[in-house]
Amino acid sequence: MPKNNITTILLGGEAGDGVKEAGISFSKLLLEVGQKLFISFEYPSLIRGGHNSCSLSFSNEKVFNNLNELDIIIAFNKETAELHKKELKKEGIIIIDSDKPVTSKNYLSLPMSEFTKKQNAHHLARTSVALGALAYYFSLPLNKLEKVFKESFKNKVKDNIILARQGFKYAEKNNWPQMKIKAGKKGSSRLIDGNQAFAEGMISAGLENYIAYPMTPATSILHFLAQYKDKYKIKVIQPENEIAAAIMAIGASYAGKRAAVGTSGGGFALMQESFSLAGITEIPFVAVISQRPGPATGVPTGTGQADLAMLKNAGHGEFPLVVLAPGNAEESYEAGTQALNLAWQFQIPVLILLDKHLSESITSVNLKQNKKINKGKLANLKQKEYKRYAFSKDGISPMAFPGTKGLVVKNNSYEHDEQGIVTEDSVVVKKMFDKRFKKMPLIAREINSQNPLKVYGNKKANNAVVFWGSTKGAVLEALRNVKKSIKAIQIISMEPFPDKKFVNELKQVKKIIIVEGNATGQLASLIREKTGIKIKQKILQYDSKPFDPNILVGKINKELAK
Amino acid sequence: MKLNTNAKVTWCPGCPNFGILAAFKNSINDLVKAKEIKSEDLTIFSGIGCHGKITEYLNLNTFTSLHGRAIPLALGTKIANPKLKAIAFVGDGDVYAEGLDHLIHAAKKNADVTVIVHNNQVFALTTGQFTPTSPKGLKSKSSPQGSIEEPLDPLALTLSAGASFVARSYALEIEKTKKIITAAIQHKGFSFVEIIQPCITFYDTREILKNKIEWLDKKYKTNNFYDAFNKISKSKNKMLLGIFYQVKKPIFEDEV
């Protein structure tokens, strides 16, 4: 992969300083001038105070992940400068909010608060001074920044525009250094985070009900859908707990409506029994689980990949299920569409694994909503008798829904016969198990036609790095700088596992390294279980932070030298 | 209308559950005959316990759910398709222990769902342990020295949670139970009907209840919250039966 010339800006301040909004506004400006971006956010679990930061990496080439190494720090408070100066490049600059000139190397002062006070503007408008100065630094036209402000703030825009101009002029007057951004090809049309992309994917597949109890980092799916529920005609419900959420979704599916739930690991732990209910009743069920580090409450606003083991074994008892782990916003969108369609096509529960880094990081993408709805196998209503669990060649029984004249739909959490009546007859019990598991090879065939794994880098290389989920960004960015020839294999479908494709990809490979955001190597264990391949070289990170591409390069090089 | 299924009935012979089933079937027959509801629009839910078998015996749309989860299941179905009529059969262990949060929140939401509780004051299917409505001192397999907890008052609880219809009946009074079930189904909003049901195998209260049950006065007005609360509280030593409370309130699924 070609080298990438990435610039990274970090904006930091207290919670309530408007750090995130400022980062997004500047990102929109960069998007306007053809830049590709990756923006990630760090924040503690509190409402006011604490330290919030927004890290924004951009280039004229696709940016797969933000970098820890910083070109510019905008410090809205002192703590930001102190905490992050060790990440600053040698020639990097730190812009601080001060009306006194600073002489220390790397520092530039900007009277953000003073300008804001003089203007009698809201404290939050302070960030506009910084964005104006930044526009000067990157030689970007102020009118484009003003356009972004107008779109974002609508009628409350006056102060922001004036303050941005003052910031720009201050930088000009004080002879700040300037750099020019290399123009990029137009193309990325919008900024989106993994959660919204997933929500839009579900909407494309005809989502009708979304039911969720708030839990970071899945909550913004609930927020997005609640905000646009009328536009997309979706009923959005926040029930008493995750158990109710999952059960209500099952109830909605029983009524024939497409439903999904969203939570994090702890919330899904509560849904296990309901998940099993969806399994035996063959109810189409979709749950999106955005991971954060556990165990228990763990690090609520951190990222991690430690719930794969729980998900692939989710629910008591045995039944067919699907677990997909997208790696970026585009794949998150596809997973949203795929999840609902697979659930309805095969009448199974489908789980989607995201994580905080994917859910909340914003990237520039070309995503358009395309309606794609698979309604599944529906009952022929002219038939005399309807059996909800009728035996069939492919194990899929035609669906009918309550409210249909002349038939009854009986679902049962007990093992049941074709009609849905409880049974303890061992012959029927086994037959019903076999019926459900008949679907598994069909599910595998369907998923194998939809990118269950992806390969990057030199496809003929003898070295391979294997990864999953949001680690994709750091791995692909790192791949540009790995010394030896290497291929990267991303597993998207965890269940069913694409074992043949995976083994095929490893035919010429002599050295395999796994990269995961957990302490035990959960994908490595899954690969061992599914293929017998034991991966000994592991790069594992479980400090609640996402991988940094530059640090990862060093680790991969070290493993390759072993 | 044929409401029976081919399922083998496995309740104990003489179980008052048969009374609840009969009352319910009669009520449905009346309502369908009067064209107040269409049988295909009925969706019947149950939890797990002896009560839960009722779904097996009804030739209607049914969903036998998990222990304690019949109410959110009924709510999910009703919200997704408000045209349907959702009725959840639950047990006292099922709904007052495992699923109490769902009962309170369904009442609070005032979704148009009918909840019918088979309250036999004991976990029967698991061979007799105390439940949240067992009287203090009840000797059971899990409380050999007598239960040390005071029982819950489900009617007071549901009333204060926001239910717009609160009633109690007795399983052995089939005709009166039918009337109450019919009124509950006709009610627009969350309707809660508790049916006192002696468990003839593990906790036979038939003799005690003979002298204890008493129906609400015909002149009693059902539209006052405080009157309802007083009646429910005063009925500690007597077992007052009837419709305690019924008011009109906005319905959850109309606004979601």
PDB file of all heavy atoms in Angstrom, chain A residues 29-50:
ATOM      1  N   LEU A  29     -15.066  21.374   7.021  1.00  0.00           N
ATOM      2  CA  LEU A  29     -14.292  22.286   6.173  1.00  0.00           C
ATOM      3  C   LEU A  29     -13.262  21.493   5.365  1.00  0.00           C
ATOM      4  O   LEU A  29     -13.098  21.704   4.163  1.00  0.00           O
ATOM      5  CB  LEU A  29     -13.603  23.337   7.051  1.00  0.00           C
ATOM      6  CG  LEU A  29     -12.626  24.289   6.348  1.00  0.00           C
ATOM      7  CD1 LEU A  29     -13.337  25.109   5.284  1.00  0.00           C
ATOM      8  CD2 LEU A  29     -11.963  25.219   7.356  1.00  0.00           C
ATOM      9  N   LEU A  30     -12.584  20.560   6.033  1.00  0.00           N
ATOM     10  CA  LEU A  30     -11.575  19.748   5.346  1.00  0.00           C
ATOM     11  C   LEU A  30     -12.214  18.862   4.268  1.00  0.00           C
ATOM     12  O   LEU A  30     -11.643  18.644   3.204  1.00  0.00           O
ATOM     13  CB  LEU A  30     -10.811  18.888   6.364  1.00  0.00           C
ATOM     14  CG  LEU A  30      -9.886  19.680   7.301  1.00  0.00           C
ATOM     15  CD1 LEU A  30      -9.450  18.825   8.479  1.00  0.00           C
ATOM     16  CD2 LEU A  30      -8.664  20.204   6.539  1.00  0.00           C
ATOM     17  N   LEU A  31     -13.405  18.384   4.572  1.00  0.00           N
ATOM     18  CA  LEU A  31     -14.140  17.558   3.607  1.00  0.00           C
ATOM     19  C   LEU A  31     -14.458  18.385   2.353  1.00  0.00           C
ATOM     20  O   LEU A  31     -14.346  17.905   1.223  1.00  0.00           O
ATOM     21  CB  LEU A  31     -15.441  17.065   4.253  1.00  0.00           C
ATOM     22  CG  LEU A  31     -16.223  15.977   3.511  1.00  0.00           C
ATOM     23  CD1 LEU A  31     -15.485  14.651   3.570  1.00  0.00           C
ATOM     24  CD2 LEU A  31     -17.627  15.811   4.112  1.00  0.00           C
ATOM     25  N   GLU A  32     -14.801  19.654   2.581  1.00  0.00           N
ATOM     26  CA  GLU A  32     -15.108  20.589   1.487  1.00  0.00           C
ATOM     27  C   GLU A  32     -13.946  20.714   0.505  1.00  0.00           C
ATOM     28  O   GLU A  32     -14.162  20.941  -0.679  1.00  0.00           O
ATOM     29  CB  GLU A  32     -15.402  21.990   2.066  1.00  0.00           C
ATOM     30  CG  GLU A  32     -16.808  22.172   2.564  1.00  0.00           C
ATOM     31  CD  GLU A  32     -17.745  22.591   1.440  1.00  0.00           C
ATOM     32  OE1 GLU A  32     -17.394  23.503   0.700  1.00  0.00           O
ATOM     33  OE2 GLU A  32     -18.819  21.956   1.338  1.00  0.00           O
ATOM     34  N   VAL A  33     -12.713  20.633   1.041  1.00  0.00           N
ATOM     35  CA  VAL A  33     -11.547  20.795   0.167  1.00  0.00           C
ATOM     36  C   VAL A  33     -10.943  19.438  -0.203  1.00  0.00           C
ATOM     37  O   VAL A  33      -9.750  19.320  -0.461  1.00  0.00           O
ATOM     38  CB  VAL A  33     -10.487  21.743   0.781  1.00  0.00           C
ATOM     39  CG1 VAL A  33     -11.056  23.145   0.902  1.00  0.00           C
ATOM     40  CG2 VAL A  33     -10.016  21.240   2.138  1.00  0.00           C
ATOM     41  N   GLY A  34     -11.791  18.433  -0.215  1.00  0.00           N
ATOM     42  CA  GLY A  34     -11.403  17.131  -0.783  1.00  0.00           C
ATOM     43  C   GLY A  34     -10.550  16.252   0.118  1.00  0.00           C
ATOM     44  O   GLY A  34      -9.937  15.297  -0.358  1.00  0.00           O
ATOM     45  N   GLN A  35     -10.522  16.535   1.429  1.00  0.00           N
ATOM     46  CA  GLN A  35      -9.717  15.695   2.313  1.00  0.00           C
ATOM     47  C   GLN A  35     -10.501  14.467   2.769  1.00  0.00           C
ATOM     48  O   GLN A  35     -11.727  14.488   2.827  1.00  0.00           O
ATOM     49  CB  GLN A  35      -9.253  16.499   3.531  1.00  0.00           C
ATOM     50  CG  GLN A  35      -8.407  17.693   3.181  1.00  0.00           C
ATOM     51  CD  GLN A  35      -7.141  17.309   2.410  1.00  0.00           C
ATOM     52  OE1 GLN A  35      -6.278  16.611   2.928  1.00  0.00           O
ATOM     53  NE2 GLN A  35      -7.056  17.743   1.165  1.00  0.00           N
ATOM     54  N   LYS A  36      -9.757  13.394   3.081  1.00  0.00           N
ATOM     55  CA  LYS A  36     -10.360  12.197   3.669  1.00  0.00           C
ATOM     56  C   LYS A  36     -10.016  12.226   5.158  1.00  0.00           C
ATOM     57  O   LYS A  36      -8.894  12.596   5.520  1.00  0.00           O
ATOM     58  CB  LYS A  36      -9.799  10.929   3.038  1.00  0.00           C
ATOM     59  CG  LYS A  36      -9.697  10.989   1.507  1.00  0.00           C
ATOM     60  CD  LYS A  36     -11.051  10.838   0.849  1.00  0.00           C
ATOM     61  CE  LYS A  36     -10.935  10.789  -0.666  1.00  0.00           C
ATOM     62  NZ  LYS A  36     -10.619  12.100  -1.266  1.00  0.00           N
ATOM     63  N   LEU A  37     -10.969  11.812   5.981  1.00  0.00           N
ATOM     64  CA  LEU A  37     -10.748  11.997   7.421  1.00  0.00           C
ATOM     65  C   LEU A  37     -11.074  10.771   8.268  1.00  0.00           C
ATOM     66  O   LEU A  37     -11.893   9.928   7.878  1.00  0.00           O
ATOM     67  CB  LEU A  37     -11.642  13.131   7.946  1.00  0.00           C
ATOM     68  CG  LEU A  37     -11.485  14.512   7.346  1.00  0.00           C
ATOM     69  CD1 LEU A  37     -12.672  14.850   6.490  1.00  0.00           C
ATOM     70  CD2 LEU A  37     -11.289  15.525   8.440  1.00  0.00           C
ATOM     71  N   PHE A  38     -10.431  10.743   9.435  1.00  0.00           N
ATOM     72  CA  PHE A  38     -10.809   9.794  10.487  1.00  0.00           C
ATOM     73  C   PHE A  38     -10.748  10.569  11.801  1.00  0.00           C
ATOM     74  O   PHE A  38      -9.708  11.104  12.165  1.00  0.00           O
ATOM     75  CB  PHE A  38      -9.864   8.596  10.524  1.00  0.00           C
ATOM     76  CG  PHE A  38     -10.375   7.481  11.402  1.00  0.00           C
ATOM     77  CD1 PHE A  38     -10.905   6.331  10.831  1.00  0.00           C
ATOM     78  CD2 PHE A  38     -10.352   7.575  12.799  1.00  0.00           C
ATOM     79  CE1 PHE A  38     -11.394   5.290  11.626  1.00  0.00           C
ATOM     80  CE2 PHE A  38     -10.850   6.549  13.601  1.00  0.00           C
ATOM     81  CZ  PHE A  38     -11.367   5.402  13.004  1.00  0.00           C
ATOM     82  N   ILE A  39     -11.881  10.639  12.487  1.00  0.00           N
ATOM     83  CA  ILE A  39     -11.967  11.459  13.704  1.00  0.00           C
ATOM     84  C   ILE A  39     -12.382  10.570  14.867  1.00  0.00           C
ATOM     85  O   ILE A  39     -13.419   9.903  14.793  1.00  0.00           O
ATOM     86  CB  ILE A  39     -13.018  12.578  13.532  1.00  0.00           C
ATOM     87  CG1 ILE A  39     -12.798  13.300  12.195  1.00  0.00           C
ATOM     88  CG2 ILE A  39     -12.994  13.549  14.681  1.00  0.00           C
ATOM     89  CD1 ILE A  39     -14.071  13.661  11.492  1.00  0.00           C
ATOM     90  N   SER A  40     -11.576  10.558  15.914  1.00  0.00           N
ATOM     91  CA  SER A  40     -11.991   9.749  17.066  1.00  0.00           C
ATOM     92  C   SER A  40     -12.095  10.629  18.306  1.00  0.00           C
ATOM     93  O   SER A  40     -11.539  11.720  18.359  1.00  0.00           O
ATOM     94  CB  SER A  40     -11.038   8.592  17.291  1.00  0.00           C
ATOM     95  OG  SER A  40      -9.889   9.042  17.945  1.00  0.00           O
ATOM     96  N   PHE A  41     -12.845  10.133  19.266  1.00  0.00           N
ATOM     97  CA  PHE A  41     -13.144  10.919  20.463  1.00  0.00           C
ATOM     98  C   PHE A  41     -12.779  10.144  21.722  1.00  0.00           C
ATOM     99  O   PHE A  41     -13.004   8.946  21.798  1.00  0.00           O
ATOM    100  CB  PHE A  41     -14.636  11.285  20.512  1.00  0.00           C
ATOM    101  CG  PHE A  41     -15.100  11.994  19.270  1.00  0.00           C
ATOM    102  CD1 PHE A  41     -15.641  11.283  18.204  1.00  0.00           C
ATOM    103  CD2 PHE A  41     -14.966  13.365  19.158  1.00  0.00           C
ATOM    104  CE1 PHE A  41     -16.035  11.938  17.046  1.00  0.00           C
ATOM    105  CE2 PHE A  41     -15.371  14.029  18.007  1.00  0.00           C
ATOM    106  CZ  PHE A  41     -15.911  13.312  16.954  1.00  0.00           C
ATOM    107  N   GLU A  42     -12.202  10.863  22.685  1.00  0.00           N
ATOM    108  CA  GLU A  42     -11.923  10.266  23.993  1.00  0.00           C
ATOM    109  C   GLU A  42     -12.630  11.125  25.032  1.00  0.00           C
ATOM    110  O   GLU A  42     -12.527  12.360  24.995  1.00  0.00           O
ATOM    111  CB  GLU A  42     -10.421  10.274  24.296  1.00  0.00           C
ATOM    112  CG  GLU A  42      -9.590   9.415  23.366  1.00  0.00           C
ATOM    113  CD  GLU A  42      -9.645   7.948  23.709  1.00  0.00           C
ATOM    114  OE1 GLU A  42     -10.008   7.619  24.865  1.00  0.00           O
ATOM    115  OE2 GLU A  42      -9.344   7.122  22.824  1.00  0.00           O
ATOM    116  N   TYR A  43     -13.361  10.472  25.922  1.00  0.00           N
ATOM    117  CA  TYR A  43     -14.046  11.239  26.955  1.00  0.00           C
ATOM    118  C   TYR A  43     -14.279  10.333  28.161  1.00  0.00           C
ATOM    119  O   TYR A  43     -14.465   9.133  28.027  1.00  0.00           O
ATOM    120  CB  TYR A  43     -15.379  11.781  26.435  1.00  0.00           C
ATOM    121  CG  TYR A  43     -16.314  10.705  25.929  1.00  0.00           C
ATOM    122  CD1 TYR A  43     -17.307  10.180  26.751  1.00  0.00           C
ATOM    123  CD2 TYR A  43     -16.176  10.185  24.639  1.00  0.00           C
ATOM    124  CE1 TYR A  43     -18.141   9.180  26.289  1.00  0.00           C
ATOM    125  CE2 TYR A  43     -17.007   9.182  24.173  1.00  0.00           C
ATOM    126  CZ  TYR A  43     -17.997   8.684  24.996  1.00  0.00           C
ATOM    127  OH  TYR A  43     -18.805   7.692  24.537  1.00  0.00           O
ATOM    128  N   PRO A  44     -14.257  10.930  29.379  1.00  0.00           N
ATOM    129  CA  PRO A  44     -14.536  10.105  30.547  1.00  0.00           C
ATOM    130  C   PRO A  44     -16.040   9.996  30.756  1.00  0.00           C
ATOM    131  O   PRO A  44     -16.815  10.707  30.118  1.00  0.00           O
ATOM    132  CB  PRO A  44     -13.874  10.874  31.688  1.00  0.00           C
ATOM    133  CG  PRO A  44     -13.926  12.295  31.261  1.00  0.00           C
ATOM    134  CD  PRO A  44     -13.944  12.322  29.759  1.00  0.00           C
ATOM    135  N   SER A  45     -16.445   9.103  31.675  1.00  0.00           N
ATOM    136  CA  SER A  45     -17.865   8.889  31.933  1.00  0.00           C
ATOM    137  C   SER A  45     -18.382   9.926  32.924  1.00  0.00           C
ATOM    138  O   SER A  45     -18.611   9.625  34.090  1.00  0.00           O
ATOM    139  CB  SER A  45     -18.066   7.467  32.466  1.00  0.00           C
ATOM    140  OG  SER A  45     -19.429   7.172  32.575  1.00  0.00           O
ATOM    141  N   LEU A  46     -18.524  11.162  32.472  1.00  0.00           N
ATOM    142  CA  LEU A  46     -19.109  12.209  33.309  1.00  0.00           C
ATOM    143  C   LEU A  46     -19.688  13.284  32.411  1.00  0.00           C
ATOM    144  O   LEU A  46     -19.476  13.282  31.200  1.00  0.00           O
ATOM    145  CB  LEU A  46     -18.074  12.791  34.287  1.00  0.00           C
ATOM    146  CG  LEU A  46     -16.704  13.225  33.752  1.00  0.00           C
ATOM    147  CD1 LEU A  46     -16.794  14.523  33.010  1.00  0.00           C
ATOM    148  CD2 LEU A  46     -15.733  13.364  34.908  1.00  0.00           C
ATOM    149  N   ILE A  47     -20.427  14.222  32.996  1.00  0.00           N
ATOM    150  CA  ILE A  47     -21.137  15.219  32.191  1.00  0.00           C
ATOM    151  C   ILE A  47     -20.354  16.530  32.081  1.00  0.00           C
ATOM    152  O   ILE A  47     -20.244  17.109  31.028  1.00  0.00           O
ATOM    153  CB  ILE A  47     -22.542  15.505  32.793  1.00  0.00           C
ATOM    154  CG1 ILE A  47     -23.324  14.217  32.986  1.00  0.00           C
ATOM    155  CG2 ILE A  47     -23.327  16.489  31.932  1.00  0.00           C
ATOM    156  CD1 ILE A  47     -23.562  13.414  31.730  1.00  0.00           C
ATOM    157  N   ARG A  48     -19.788  16.991  33.188  1.00  0.00           N
ATOM    158  CA  ARG A  48     -19.051  18.258  33.189  1.00  0.00           C
ATOM    159  C   ARG A  48     -17.633  18.039  33.698  1.00  0.00           C
ATOM    160  O   ARG A  48     -17.404  17.186  34.548  1.00  0.00           O
ATOM    161  CB  ARG A  48     -19.745  19.287  34.092  1.00  0.00           C
ATOM    162  CG  ARG A  48     -21.060  19.759  33.540  1.00  0.00           C
ATOM    163  CD  ARG A  48     -20.867  21.005  32.713  1.00  0.00           C
ATOM    164  NE  ARG A  48     -22.052  21.192  31.884  1.00  0.00           N
ATOM    165  CZ  ARG A  48     -22.179  22.144  30.994  1.00  0.00           C
ATOM    166  NH1 ARG A  48     -21.196  22.982  30.793  1.00  0.00           N
ATOM    167  NH2 ARG A  48     -23.275  22.242  30.292  1.00  0.00           N
ATOM    168  N   GLY A  49     -16.701  18.872  33.219  1.00  0.00           N
ATOM    169  CA  GLY A  49     -15.324  18.764  33.658  1.00  0.00           C
ATOM    170  C   GLY A  49     -14.639  17.605  32.974  1.00  0.00           C
ATOM    171  O   GLY A  49     -15.022  17.224  31.871  1.00  0.00           O
ATOM    172  N   GLY A  50     -13.634  17.022  33.610  1.00  0.00           N
ATOM    173  CA  GLY A  50     -12.914  15.903  33.012  1.00  0.00           C
ATOM    174  C   GLY A  50     -12.150  16.352  31.790  1.00  0.00           C
ATOM    175  O   GLY A  50     -12.053  17.542  31.490  1.00  0.00           O
TER     176      GLY A  50
END
